[in-house]
Amino acid sequence: MKILVVSDVESNYIWDFFDKSNFQDIACVISCGDLKASYLSFLVTMLAVPVFYVHGNHDKSYLTQPPEGCDCIEDKVVTFNGLRIAGLGGSIEYKGGPFQFTEEKMQKRVKKLVRTCKKPIDILVTHSPTFGIGDNPNSQCHIGFKSFYTLYEQLLPKYHLYGHNHFTYSSNAKRILVHNNIQVINGYNYYILEI
């Protein structure tokens, strides 16, 4: 199964030069946040597959105009084609906003998600990375959450999809990292995950 992962910047390749034949095997789309609602609505319309999303720290407009035809997976778990997918959007708090959280507030969300899921998941979807794995310690607003380690330990995801840290922010940025057999994947722009 192929999953189109998108985050942070709208891809010209997809939006401006769309060719459905390039994405005919895509089973669903997962957005890790900070994308225009109209872009996600475009994807659900043109690909005719489910689009699941979490909020990025810049997605305040979603509060009044969420992506049409798409499914928000914030603070819950959904099952798609046998895969259990759970989501937690937002970034570390750095200047306030509806999708910015202190470490303490995110820890509360993490505990609630663990109770909601009740058993292991296949895919964890977040906007921010995990502290020390794919984050940027030199930028206060791009530091990851320590509490995500709890999700790794208790929900045992096979994949962690995230965004927030653009590849343009660091020459050392990597698309895929591995932590305790979990593939940690930065969905910046777009990436096709094959499971």
Side-chain angles (χ1 to χ4, degrees), residues 56-127:
N57 55 302
H58 297 299
D59 288 336
K60 187 175 180 180
S61 65
Y62 284 27
L63 294 173
T64 54
Q65 291 186 306
E68 294 181 19
C70 304
D71 296 312
C72 180
I73 59 170
E74 287 278 349
D75 303 297
K76 61 184 177 182
V77 60
V78 297
T79 301
F80 174 75
N81 281 5
L83 294 175
R84 288 170 48 84
I85 306 168
L88 280 176
S91 74
I92 198 79
E93 186 172 15
Y94 61 95
K95 68 174 183 177
F99 304 119
Q100 294 182 28
F101 303 91
T102 63
E103 183 68 52
E104 292 75 24
K105 287 181 182 174
M106 184 58 79
Q107 181 65 46
K108 288 180 182 177
R109 292 180 69 203
V110 162
K111 288 179 180 178
K112 184 178 177 185
L113 184 63
V114 168
R115 287 193 304 271
T116 299
C117 291
K118 298 179 183 172
K119 60 182 182 178
I121 61 173
D122 298 292
I123 301 174
L124 171 64
V125 182
T126 66
H127 178 60

Side-chain angles (χ1 to χ4, degrees), residues 29-58:
V29 177
I30 295 177
S31 169
C32 300
D34 280 355
L35 292 166
K36 293 177 183 174
S38 56
Y39 182 63
L40 297 188
S41 297
F42 170 84
L43 291 173
V44 77
T45 301
M46 299 305 286
L47 293 176
V49 298
V51 173
F52 305 105
Y53 71 90
V54 295
H55 298 107
N57 55 302
H58 297 299

